[in-house]
């Protein structure tokens, strides 16, 4: 059982402690021990179950069926940490409901919010966030998909790739170039319903830890003017603001993976015989466990500080979120690698928890801003503070 003493930290209130207790109980009874081959069907089932359980209500504001008046990042992070310890696919399903609706929450009209957010909270609409392109990942400002104004709205041409929930989403938050200015100032955001003619989301991508992922192609796709989110030309800022909210929670998911690996490694150390004693008696094993505990504890401090700054202090936390994501994802990779090493050959056997964790963690160091991007963000903030 993962240590929950961190819930006594001053970052949290009683509602957060009750949330974790209730979610732990739900995970124990509702989440499967293992996943089958049909990840599309499993993700649809998980979204529905998360909606029925009330957990997706944390992804939207109270006015649209949510729990809190505005998004509470501490709650989102606690949910992701907890789900990730139990099931990487359940964490994925929850995370995409938040990321794929976050731009609507932050910038949508009342009509757009009422049209999508309540269904997201109930698990009736599957959400997706379409930003990455074949020629632009971290360099968002260089995206090439175009949305040209037409008499009835916009004509979209181009492609997106590595889109989570691609192929099963009911709608996508689509970022395309509307051309007001070069670079980041010429991008707009749109709501794209899956049944829109001219969208092809059939090209699927198979990755290390399977989940729904696809390339989207747009061929003279027509969007109505009402699909525009906020002001034309503000899409880059909207994307960054959305990522600012959810980037901290990526670190929380990594922390959940790391804590599960630490649990598995600790049980292994206490039960695996080594010579005349147990693996846990070995000083090298003890050193590894100490390093794993240190990584988990420091990650938690960075994650929940970043969330607290946004929730309680009302501060933009780009620097703190970058620190949290960078440290938590990189250190979780190290924690899980140590756990695999402690299991020996069993650690790389398909279906063993640490083997699954080894595959699950790798993508978190890339998506929503690769580790190298987080370093740039941190350095820029650091240098700017000196210049000021």
């Amino acid at each position: 059982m993962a240590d929950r003493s961190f819930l006594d930290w001053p970052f949290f209130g009683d509602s957060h402690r009750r949330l974790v207790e209730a979610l732990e109980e739900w995970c124990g009874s509702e989440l499967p021990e293992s996943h089958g081959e049909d990840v599309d069907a499993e993700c649809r089932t998980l979204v529905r179950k998360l909606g029925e359980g009330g957990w997706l209500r944390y992804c939207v504001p109270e006015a649209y069926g949510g729990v809190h008046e505005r998004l509470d990042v501490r709650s989102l992070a606690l949910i992701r940490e907890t789900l990730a310890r139990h099931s990487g696919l359940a964490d994925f399903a929850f995370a995409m409901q938040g990321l794929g609706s976050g731009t609507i929450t932050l910038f949508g009209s009342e009509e757009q919010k009422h049209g999508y957010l309540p269904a997201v909270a109930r698990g009736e609409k599957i959400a997706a966030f379409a930003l990455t392109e074949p020629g632009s990942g971290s360099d968002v400002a260089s995206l090439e998909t175009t949305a040209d104004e037409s008499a009835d709205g916009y004509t979209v041409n181009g492609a997106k790739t590595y889109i989570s929930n691609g192929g099963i989403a009911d709608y996508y938050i689509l970022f395309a170039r509307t051309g007001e200015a070069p670079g980041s100032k010429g991008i707009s955001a749109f709501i794209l319903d899956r049944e829109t003619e001219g969208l092809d989301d059939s090209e699927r991508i198979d990755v290390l830890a399977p989940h729904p992922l696809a390339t989207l192609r747009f061929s003279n796709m027509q969007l109505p003017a009402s699909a525009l989110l906020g002001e034309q030309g503000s899409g880059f800022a909207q994307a960054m603001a959305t990522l600012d909210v959810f980037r901290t929670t990526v670190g929380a998911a990594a922390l959940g993976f790391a804590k599960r690996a630490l649990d598995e490694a600790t049980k292994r150390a206490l039960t695996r015989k080594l010579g005349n004693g147990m693996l846990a008696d070995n000083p090298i094993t003890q050193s590894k466990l100490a390093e794993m505990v240190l990584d988990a504890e420091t990650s938690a401090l960075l994650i929940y500080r970043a969330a607290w700054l946004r929730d309680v202090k009302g501060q933009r936390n780009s620097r703190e979120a970058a620190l949290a994501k960078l440290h938590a994802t990189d250190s979780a990779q190290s924690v899980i690698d140590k756990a695999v090493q402690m299991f020996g050959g069993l650690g790389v056997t398909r279906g063993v928890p640490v083997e699954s964790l080894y595959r699950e963690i790798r993508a978190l160091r890339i998506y929503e801003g690769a580790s190298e991007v987080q370093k740039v963000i941190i350095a820029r903030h650091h240098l700017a503070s000196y210049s000021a």
Side-chain angles (χ1 to χ4, degrees):
M1 175 63 70
D3 177 26
R4 298 187 201 170
S5 61
F6 75 101
L7 289 169
D8 290 329
W9 292 351
F11 297 128
F12 305 109
D14 288 340
S15 65
H16 297 108
R17 288 180 270 274
R18 290 193 297 269
L19 165 61
V20 172
E21 293 294 329
L23 183 55
E24 281 285 352
E25 183 177 348
W26 184 86
C27 288
S29 62
E30 297 294 330
L31 293 183
E33 287 293 321
S34 60
H35 298 293
E37 296 298 319
D38 191 345
V39 293
D40 286 7
E42 288 198 51
C43 276
R44 290 189 181 99
T45 298
L46 284 166
V47 170
R48 176 181 53 78
K49 291 175 73 170
L50 287 164
E52 291 172 351
W55 309 115
L56 296 180
R57 295 179 60 220
Y58 288 89
C59 293
V60 305
E62 183 180 23
Y64 312 99
V67 174
H68 297 288
E69 182 179 355
R70 56 187 178 86
L71 295 178
D72 183 78
V73 183
R74 288 167 297 172
S75 295
L76 294 170
L78 287 168
I79 292 172
R80 288 203 66 182
E81 180 191 331
T82 304
L83 289 175
R85 276 196 292 105
H86 289 271
S87 163
L89 204 58
D91 166 65
F92 166 83
F94 175 84
M96 287 313 303
Q97 290 298 96
L99 182 63
S101 63
T103 314
I104 299 176
T105 293
L106 295 174
F107 302 103
S109 66
E110 284 301 310
E111 182 178 359
Q112 289 169 332
K113 290 176 182 178
H114 283 290
Y116 290 88
L117 298 183
V120 167
R122 293 191 298 265
E124 295 171 358
K125 279 187 184 290
I126 296 179
F129 188 81
L131 183 61
T132 300
E133 296 190 356
S136 65
S138 297
D139 184 14
V140 176
S142 66
L143 68 82
E144 296 178 348
T145 295
T146 58
D148 297 320
E149 282 194 82
S150 61
D152 300 321
Y154 298 87
T155 301
V156 181
N157 285 283
K160 299 288 180 179
T161 195
Y162 293 104
I163 304 305
S164 294
N165 276 345
I168 70 167
D170 294 294
Y171 75 90
Y172 300 91
I173 301 301
L174 171 67
F175 296 88
R177 185 165 299 285
T178 43
E180 293 75 21
S184 63
K185 298 185 184 301
I187 298 169
S188 299
F190 303 88
I191 303 174
L192 166 61
D193 292 313
R194 188 188 182 192
E195 64 271 15
T196 303
E197 187 176 351
L199 165 65
D200 179 0
D201 59 2
S202 63
E203 184 181 333
R204 307 303 292 275
I205 303 170
D206 191 16
V207 289
L208 198 62
H211 64 269
L213 200 70
T215 293
L216 316 181
R217 300 192 185 279
F218 318 109
S219 179
N220 292 323
M221 184 179 72
Q222 301 298 310
L223 288 179
S226 60
L228 179 68
L229 265 170
E231 295 181 2
Q232 192 169 295
S234 60
F236 180 86
Q238 293 170 347
M240 295 304 105
T242 305
L243 292 173
D244 264 358
V245 173
F246 291 97
R247 186 166 280 155
T248 301
T249 76
V250 180
L255 176 60
F257 291 148
K259 285 188 174 181
R260 176 65 183 272
L262 178 57
D263 284 349
E264 297 293 332
T266 303
K267 288 186 287 186
R268 174 75 169 177
L270 291 170
T271 57
R272 177 68 169 178
K273 288 185 178 180
L274 182 67
N276 295 324
M278 292 293 176
L279 188 60
D281 299 323
N282 185 284
I284 296 176
T285 300
Q286 294 174 4
S287 176
K288 288 184 182 295
L289 288 170
E291 291 169 356
M292 295 160 81
V293 170
L294 177 62
D295 280 340
E297 292 279 344
T298 51
S299 293
L301 284 164
L302 287 168
I303 291 160
Y304 293 111
R305 177 189 68 162
W308 176 83
L309 277 174
R310 188 175 184 92
D311 291 342
V312 177
K313 303 297 286 184
Q315 296 178 10
R316 183 164 184 177
N317 64 347
S318 301
R319 171 184 175 274
E320 289 75 18
L323 285 163
K325 182 183 186 295
L326 174 65
H327 182 80
T329 56
D330 282 3
S331 66
Q333 182 88 56
S334 176
V335 168
I336 293 166
D337 186 72
K338 289 183 175 72
V340 169
Q341 195 74 9
M342 289 169 64
F343 272 76
L346 188 61
V348 292
T349 303
R350 178 75 69 167
V352 174
V354 293
E355 181 271 340
S356 299
L357 291 166
Y358 194 82
R359 289 183 288 107
E360 290 279 5
I361 187 57
R362 191 59 184 87
L364 275 66
R365 296 172 59 201
I366 298 172
Y367 73 67
E368 292 190 41
S371 293
E372 292 76 12
V373 173
Q374 306 313 311
K375 291 176 182 179
V376 171
I377 293 170
I378 294 163
R380 285 177 176 172
H381 279 271
H382 175 71
L383 293 169
S385 69
Y386 268 73
S387 298

